[in-house]
Amino acid sequence: MIVFPFTAVLGQEELKHCLVVCAIDPGVSGVLAVGDRGTAKTTTVRALGALLERAGAQMPVAELPLGASEDRVLGSLDIDRALRGEVAFAPGILSDAHGGFLYIDEVNLLDDYLVDILLDVAASGVNRVERDGIGYTHPARFVLVGSGNPEEGELRPQLEDRFGLATFVRTIADAQTRLAIVRRRLSFESDPEKFEREWLDVEHRLADRLLAARDGLENVQIPEVVLRQIVDICVESGAVGHRAELVLTRAARATAAFGGRHQVTHTDVALAAIPALRHRTPRQLAETPTAPAARVKLATARVLGLAG
């Protein structure tokens, strides 16, 4: 099945950048995309999967639907083989996601028992299953990607913290951009094969750039002064937990690698700071939902000397 090309998605640049950062360094841990319905969140994630497959990156995108059973998520006894007298394990969604992305649409509506499972597996990187008298263990390391509308339910803080980056996806107000989105979508639906061909060169260029960044990531240096500034940004913005510094450091390094640089710069840190810290900076009473991001932006400007 042909999916809408990643590079053809208009107007969601922060979400796209966050996904690319996690593809370069899965250690960033994931992306939480919250905001308005109908803003191409699911389309963008699926498009990334197709791009990675085209690039040969071997990072599958497995989707976890709401209402999925525990057996479907964890895996269970293989019934077909059991009927033949064999005892075997049928892998579940967590096995499908190993080494790639686990995508959950409407993650804020996920059942608590599945949230508990995800927290346990995300922390250990291992899925342990005891079912029908058999035990099975397999590695389950994945980049967690979730999307949802906060008006429909809150996300548990423990799960929110597992997402390395967070982005707020808004409805685009610019009429010309909205018109371009409609035209692209209609063109895609009219002739998916032709539309895919038209974007193939751009997709290949991005795929090559992404793979080069993955290969060069370990060679990207982080100067001591920049590392101290990252810590200062986390402190000044009020970020909760020490995962904040680690995620910001990794995201800034991946951003530098994507830019073809061998050293993290202030620009890389500034670009990574808001998605890395906005969901780790508590909202105060009577503050708007955008206040934590504004506080991170201000702290970043002060620490990096960009204010004024």
Side-chain angles (χ1 to χ4, degrees):
M1 182 183 71
I2 297 176
V3 301
F4 197 84
F6 186 77
T7 51
V9 176
L10 271 173
Q12 306 300 351
E13 297 309 313
E14 186 178 76
L15 171 59
K16 291 167 68 176
H17 179 74
C18 288
L19 291 170
V20 166
V21 162
C22 287
I24 294 169
D25 182 2
V28 173
S29 296
V31 181
L32 176 63
V34 298
D36 300 335
R37 295 181 295 275
T39 48
K41 296 186 290 293
T42 299
T43 295
T44 305
V45 175
R46 289 173 178 168
L48 175 69
L51 177 73
L52 293 170
E53 183 179 357
R54 187 178 293 113
Q58 298 181 342
M59 293 187 72
V61 176
E63 297 189 31
L64 195 163
L66 291 179
S69 68
E70 188 172 348
D71 284 352
R72 179 70 188 93
V73 176
L74 293 175
S76 63
L77 180 69
D78 188 324
I79 300 300
D80 291 336
R81 295 177 67 179
L83 292 174
R84 299 196 299 267
E86 303 177 37
V87 178
F89 182 77
I93 295 172
L94 295 184
S95 177
D96 296 339
H98 177 58
F101 291 80
L102 178 63
Y103 174 56
I104 311 168
D105 190 19
E106 299 185 278
V107 64
N108 49 320
L109 303 181
L110 198 64
D111 289 337
D112 281 345
Y113 80 93
L114 287 180
V115 171
D116 292 336
I117 290 171
L118 289 177
L119 288 172
D120 180 60
V121 175
S124 66
V126 176
N127 181 30
R128 297 180 177 85
V129 186
E130 295 289 339
R131 288 286 186 278
D132 305 305
I134 63 170
Y136 187 82
T137 301
H138 69 81
R141 297 182 180 86
F142 46 79
V143 175
L144 190 61
V145 179
S147 64
N149 185 345
E151 294 179 359
E152 297 174 351
E154 294 293 327
L155 189 66
R156 278 174 55 179
Q158 300 95 325
L159 182 58
E160 183 179 52
D161 187 55
R162 282 291 163 185
F163 292 96
L165 307 175
T167 179
F168 194 85
V169 184
R170 299 175 178 85
T171 301
I172 296 168
D174 179 69
Q176 290 303 314
T177 303
R178 292 177 76 141
L179 181 60
I181 289 172
V182 173
R183 285 173 173 162
R184 284 191 186 182
R185 190 68 204 186
L186 290 176
S187 179
F188 172 74
E189 292 176 356
S190 174
D191 192 337
E193 291 84 3
K194 180 183 177 183
F195 191 85
E196 183 184 47
R197 288 195 301 272
E198 290 173 347
W199 286 89
L200 198 57
D201 286 345
V202 183
E203 290 276 292
H204 279 311
R205 287 198 295 272
L206 178 58
D208 290 344
R209 185 180 172 191
L210 194 155
L211 290 180
R214 282 166 59 94
D215 291 341
L217 182 64
E218 293 303 318
N219 296 323
V220 177
Q221 303 298 313
I222 306 175
E224 182 66 20
V225 63
V226 174
L227 195 58
R228 290 179 179 274
Q229 287 171 329
I230 286 173
V231 173
D232 289 342
I233 290 170
C234 293
V235 171
E236 186 161 337
S237 64
V240 175
H242 299 298
R243 189 175 281 118
E245 289 93 335
L246 295 173
V247 169
L248 179 51
T249 299
R250 299 189 80 128
R253 186 175 64 173
T255 299
F258 189 57
R261 292 180 291 280
H262 299 293
Q263 184 168 288
V264 174
T265 67
H266 287 172
T267 300
D268 301 318
V269 176
L271 188 59
I274 290 178
L277 303 180
R278 64 163 28 110
H279 58 312
R280 307 181 195 282
T281 304
R283 245 170 81 187
Q284 307 301 321
L285 288 176
E287 277 191 332
T288 65
T290 59
R295 192 154 53 248
V296 173
K297 184 177 181 179
L298 182 59
T300 303
R302 287 175 176 168
V303 171
L304 298 181
L306 304 177

